[in-house]
Amino acid sequence: MENSNEEIAADRVLSVEEGAEIKQRIAAQRSLKRWRWMGNYGDPTQAAAVANVDPPCVAGEVMFSVNGDLVPAWMFY
């Protein structure tokens, strides 16, 4: 589970559903856009699916890399 300060543990692997729910909850609580750590996913398509959830990230607002079997993701929202 997330820390009480809305941070996702660096070693946590999220499902698309979990990432989408976290993103929507955080976005609803904040009006200022900033880079946020969004956890690890199983592949780039899962990270992209979370990026497209409301509020959608546009060009340049998603960063991810492939680290073995994980895709760490950061999103600007």
Side-chain angles (χ1 to χ4, degrees):
M1 197 61 166
E2 283 182 271
N3 297 331
S4 61
N5 63 355
E6 302 285 348
E7 291 187 17
I8 301 168
D11 61 349
R12 182 165 177 207
V13 178
L14 301 171
S15 68
V16 171
E17 294 79 13
E18 289 173 312
E21 186 276 326
I22 290 168
K23 182 179 179 187
Q24 288 177 327
R25 184 168 28 87
I26 291 172
Q29 296 171 354
R30 305 222 176 10
S31 60
L32 178 64
K33 289 177 83 169
R34 68 178 178 93
W35 283 103
R36 293 172 178 22
W37 165 246
M38 287 301 297
N40 296 293
Y41 297 88
D43 62 57
T45 58
Q46 291 179 343
V50 173
N52 287 319
V53 168
D54 275 339
C57 296
V58 297
E61 293 184 340
V62 179
M63 292 189 315
F64 59 83
S65 63
V66 177
N67 184 9
D69 292 335
L70 297 177
V71 178
W74 295 262
M75 298 179 196
F76 188 77
Y77 67 94

